[in-house]
Amino acid sequence: MDFSLDYFELFGLAPGFAIDPAALDSAYRERQAETHPDRFAHADEAEQRRAAQWSSHVNEAYRTLKSPFERARYLLERQGIDALDP
């Protein structure tokens, strides 16, 4: 669980606006299968908390890259540009 990965790295995608939606969906399912909190039900409390945080991070990354608007905004933010700055 490497929280330093950017959203594209997390899913093994090349950074860019044009992405393969099927590849994103497939990578998302793989990450969720690896880190879903239910897999850590018998782990200690700290590991359960990390799994929940990781799962939340994966969900946020997926929602961001799935939406064209959010993906564009994320790409701009990676370049230090706030797309919503007036």
Side-chain angles (χ1 to χ4, degrees), residues 2-39:
D2 185 355
F3 287 95
S4 69
L5 295 176
D6 76 22
Y7 292 171
F8 293 99
E9 291 172 319
L10 178 64
F11 295 121
L13 301 172
F17 184 75
I19 61 171
D20 178 355
L24 174 61
D25 291 344
S26 177
Y28 170 71
R29 285 191 301 276
E30 288 176 22
R31 294 298 162 272
Q32 278 299 82
E34 294 169 0
T35 62
H36 195 278
D38 289 349
R39 292 194 64 210

Side-chain angles (χ1 to χ4, degrees), residues 21-70:
L24 174 61
D25 291 344
S26 177
Y28 170 71
R29 285 191 301 276
E30 288 176 22
R31 294 298 162 272
Q32 278 299 82
E34 294 169 0
T35 62
H36 195 278
D38 289 349
R39 292 194 64 210
F40 296 86
H42 299 291
D44 64 41
E45 188 176 320
E47 196 165 347
Q48 287 177 1
R49 187 173 42 257
R50 278 192 303 277
Q53 290 170 336
W54 182 250
S55 182
S56 176
H57 181 69
V58 168
N59 287 335
E60 179 183 338
Y62 177 73
R63 280 191 303 273
T64 298
L65 295 185
K66 187 79 172 167
S67 163
F69 175 79
E70 292 298 326

